[in-house]
Amino acid sequence: PKEYIEKYKGKFAQGWDKVREETLERQKKLGVVPQNTELAPKPTDIKDWEKLTADEKRLFERQMEVFAGFAEHTDHEVGRLVAALEERGELDNTLFLYIVGDNGSSAEGGMI
């Protein structure tokens, strides 16, 4: 939904290279990964953000905004499902296989 997407407007303007660095630092601060964790090498097919044209940056920034909105919306809806099952007393009788990953922007646009 648009309201989820618009919440992320401008949140990725710094580009994917910087977002990767910021994400790893945040994970270290939260204790999600060890302090000595190093950023995995970026695939060579993915251009450095600074080498993209202004149009490419606008396109990919928007794709990241949309994907972030999708991920938040999905989390919200799964939360509603969990709450409904709990309310009905069926949560303990339910097995969830929730497979959703976030590797950043989706690949629908393909490699440029």
Side-chain angles (χ1 to χ4, degrees), residues 29-80:
K29 284 180 186 171
L30 292 170
V32 175
V33 298
Q35 291 299 309
N36 63 346
T37 301
E38 294 182 16
L39 195 60
K42 185 174 66 179
T44 56
D45 288 338
I46 298 176
K47 292 182 186 177
D48 291 341
W49 187 260
E50 293 308 315
K51 293 181 180 176
L52 297 175
T53 67
D55 285 343
E56 289 172 324
K57 287 179 181 179
R58 276 194 301 278
L59 169 66
F60 294 133
E61 180 181 352
R62 185 62 175 170
Q63 284 183 346
M64 289 186 278
E65 292 166 356
V66 170
F67 192 81
F70 160 77
E72 182 182 348
H73 181 251
T74 300
D75 287 347
H76 171 78
E77 295 300 330
V78 170
R80 288 182 58 222

